[in-house]
Amino acid sequence: MGKQKRNRVKSNIVESLELPKDLMYGAVIVTVTGRTEALIENYRGIIEYTCEKIRLQTKGCQVEIRGKRLLIQYYTNDEMKVTGFIHEIIYDS
Amino acid sequence: MFADKLKYMQGYVRVRLAGYAPERFLNLCANHDILIWNLLYREDHYEFCISIKGFRKLRPILRKTKTRIVILQRYGLPFALYRYRKRKLFFGGMAVCMAALYTMSLFIWNIDVSGNLHRTDSAIIKFLEEKHVYHGIRKSKLDCVALEELLRSEYEDIIWASVKIQGTRLMIDLTENLVSNSAGETVVEDTPSNLIAAKDAEIYSIITRRGMPLVKKGTAVKQGDLLVEGRIPIYNDSAELVNYQYCYADADILGITSYTYQDVFPLAYEDKVFTGEEKNSYELLMFQKQFRLPFGENDFAMSDTFSRSLPLKLGESFYLPFVLTKKVAKEYRMEPKIYSKTEAETLAGNKLKDFCEKLEQKGVQIIENNVMIVADGKICMASGEIKVIEPVGIRQAGVVEDIQADDIQKEGQETNESDGNDN
């Protein structure tokens, strides 16, 4: 209950002050360009990577990108660019 | 693009990663700020690119994650330099090239003049050459401020000059004073002058703006006759000449003049027929000396030669002392031919038309054309007279005669004398 209340207060503050949500919640940002390129920001780490599947840990959930010939063009501590043919993007909690 | 160049300059390797926990390895790399790119999954291993600097930091991570790494390929400048380390001449050449580039950048290789409307570029560049500012001068020898002053003091109509060095170019920006140019012309109009007839004519119209007109419409004048006088006599009440007022005579005078046209040519002529044989030869002008390149000798009996010169230059106005000339010799032979009557008449007609067009270009209006074209026997003859209306007045500098003072004095003396006689 205490955690839920804290979350509600935080979201109220963020909403009323119009603070950027990705910074305040540490939320993942997935920018997909067409079917061939995805930019994932605010991720925590790589859990699994094969040509068909990339599984990433983010703050609240795991993001899984499924596709064909997936290639990580580059990745840094908080940003990753994936190219290839993307079939689906799945959010697991 | 720029990032790719940077990576190449710093050097990178493509490696194969295999072992117990490769994903953990990748995460640790990210945490240690080691950039990894083009990461690709193969059957049982990963392949990726990593900079040399990053590669050196990998050892503890490899040990921690129990993975092994194999270098597949090396890319970049550091590896290339190492591979070609024994090619001393190559590095020497590179150093010489750098030195040459630096040395060349110490000189002015192009002079760019802009903003000049009345003065030509070449005139200004020639003037600068006289003042020892030329293509190829050392940049350190140039004093831009002094050059600006020099330009302003030399040319009165240049009211603003800016000289600056951009790279190896000398940029000269000028602004000319357009007002003073027109003012200069008005000064000339102050000197007294007359208008005289340029040729024999009958006056068609005369509109005088300033001066004393001496002719009327319909007057026949001879060459050199005075048409408008710049000296206006001033009479006193008793119609005696008191003084002259001098002015710059100005009038539009049109006169009817006639041109005699005579053109005779024989019907038989020789025509140039090109055989189609051509020969090319080349010449090289080097430091004002002509060199003939040893091929393409011209051995035709009769030929026309067409030359085309290609001066070598750097930039727009820096000419190197080399000129390549290409000469094409085209062989021809002469064939005797005879004009038919109609051909001859059209030829004569065309010549007459050219003559008339040339006249009209001079601002002349043709009013009568009495030229007859006759082609018979062996010659074609066109002769006659063309009557035109054209401006006939030309300027003649007037002489200021200072007679009135003498006359008045003489008159005064005469009256005194007469008075004395009476007494």
Side-chain angles (χ1 to χ4, degrees), chain B residues 137-311:
Chain B
I137 191 177
R138 278 284 290 268
K139 272 200 260 180
S140 54
K141 279 188 187 172
L142 277 177
D143 183 358
C144 290
V145 178
L147 212 57
E148 283 168 10
E149 274 170 20
L150 204 64
L151 278 167
R152 278 198 299 266
S153 58
E154 171 69 18
Y155 298 109
E156 274 181 7
D157 54 345
I158 292 176
I159 50 168
W160 179 81
S162 148
V163 178
K164 58 177 183 269
I165 296 169
Q166 265 189 1
T168 58
R169 289 168 67 126
L170 185 67
M171 313 284 283
I172 298 173
D173 270 319
L174 304 172
T175 303
E176 288 176 355
N177 190 0
L178 302 175
V179 180
S180 75
N181 286 344
S182 54
E185 283 169 20
T186 52
V187 169
V188 179
E189 284 188 14
D190 286 346
T191 57
S193 59
N194 304 322
L195 290 177
I196 59 166
K199 51 175 74 174
D200 296 358
E202 185 190 328
I203 300 300
Y204 177 73
S205 77
I206 173 163
I207 301 162
T208 315
R209 278 187 289 274
R210 219 180 303 156
M212 185 80 175
L214 302 178
V215 291
K216 286 191 292 192
K217 182 181 175 180
T219 316
V221 294
K222 289 258 179 319
Q223 185 179 359
D225 283 359
L226 202 57
L227 301 180
V228 178
E229 202 175 10
R231 185 179 72 171
I232 304 167
I234 296 168
Y235 298 99
N236 63 8
D237 290 343
S238 47
E240 286 169 342
L241 185 67
V242 182
N243 205 343
Y244 288 117
Q245 192 184 0
Y246 291 91
C247 69
Y248 179 84
D250 189 13
D252 289 338
I253 308 158
L254 294 177
I256 300 171
T257 59
S258 63
Y259 285 86
T260 323
Y261 181 78
Q262 180 92 23
D263 182 31
V264 184
F265 57 91
L267 293 180
Y269 69 105
E270 282 197 323
D271 196 18
K272 220 187 231 183
V273 179
F274 285 96
T275 58
E277 291 286 320
E278 283 183 15
K279 262 186 187 167
N280 294 341
S281 62
Y282 298 90
E283 276 177 11
L284 190 64
L285 187 75
M286 215 188 317
F287 299 107
Q288 310 301 327
K289 275 183 189 160
Q290 195 94 14
F291 293 98
R292 205 190 175 100
L293 300 184
F295 46 84
E297 288 297 318
N298 171 17
D299 50 7
F300 298 134
M302 283 188 283
S303 65
D304 279 354
T305 308
F306 301 84
S307 307
R308 191 157 164 250
S309 292
L310 290 169

Side-chain angles (χ1 to χ4, degrees), chain B residues 304-364:
Chain B
D304 279 354
T305 308
F306 301 84
S307 307
R308 191 157 164 250
S309 292
L310 290 169
L312 291 181
K313 57 179 179 175
L314 290 175
E316 276 175 21
S317 50
F318 177 56
Y319 286 87
L320 295 172
F322 303 104
V323 182
L324 186 68
T325 309
K326 184 189 179 183
K327 286 188 170 177
V328 182
K330 293 186 177 179
E331 192 192 23
Y332 67 85
R333 62 170 185 273
M334 300 304 281
E335 278 184 3
K337 283 187 181 172
I338 290 174
Y339 287 119
S340 73
K341 196 179 171 187
T342 46
E343 270 178 353
E345 278 172 3
T346 26
L347 186 67
N350 286 340
K351 280 186 181 177
L352 178 64
K353 216 169 120 190
D354 284 352
F355 182 77
C356 289
E357 273 174 10
K358 263 183 206 163
L359 278 182
E360 277 172 350
Q361 273 171 12
K362 282 194 269 179
V364 167

